[in-house]
Amino acid sequence: MSIRSDAKIMRDLISSVDEVLFNEWDPIGINDCSDAFDEYSSYAPGLLRIAMQGNPEVVADQLARLATVNMGLSTSDRQHELRIAKKLIEIASLV
């Protein structure tokens, strides 16, 4: 595989992660506003890297950290985070 096609694959995977974050994870409840689509985009590359390790607990921990520490939310939903983590791992497995 060429460097160019590897880069495209990674961009596509990051885009897929970004879609899951906005449409399904959405801890601050903004997915009804299409103008806010990039709200979680900065988290996608790092979450993809973590998801590539294949451990849903670790991915869910990071999702919880992002929601509570980065976004200042007081709580998070562990079961929801684990469901999202498994989806992100599924995306990461497409590499």
Side-chain angles (χ1 to χ4, degrees), residues 35-55:
D35 290 341
F37 181 78
D38 63 350
E39 181 67 27
Y40 310 122
S41 295
S42 65
Y43 304 136
L47 283 165
L48 178 60
R49 279 192 299 278
I50 295 168
M52 286 177 168
Q53 298 170 12
N55 185 332

Side-chain angles (χ1 to χ4, degrees), residues 2-29:
S2 72
I3 292 173
R4 176 167 279 159
S5 61
D6 285 349
K8 180 177 179 350
I9 289 168
M10 291 307 290
R11 281 193 309 273
D12 290 347
L13 292 173
I14 290 169
S15 178
S16 294
V17 167
D18 197 17
E19 287 179 29
V20 170
L21 295 178
F22 182 75
N23 292 314
E24 299 180 50
W25 178 52
D26 192 29
I28 59 174

Side-chain angles (χ1 to χ4, degrees), residues 75-91:
T75 62
S76 64
D77 179 345
R78 186 62 176 187
Q79 292 307 311
H80 181 64
E81 290 155 356
L82 284 168
R83 282 190 301 276
I84 298 302
K86 290 173 185 174
K87 289 182 181 207
L88 300 183
I89 290 168
E90 185 177 314
I91 290 167

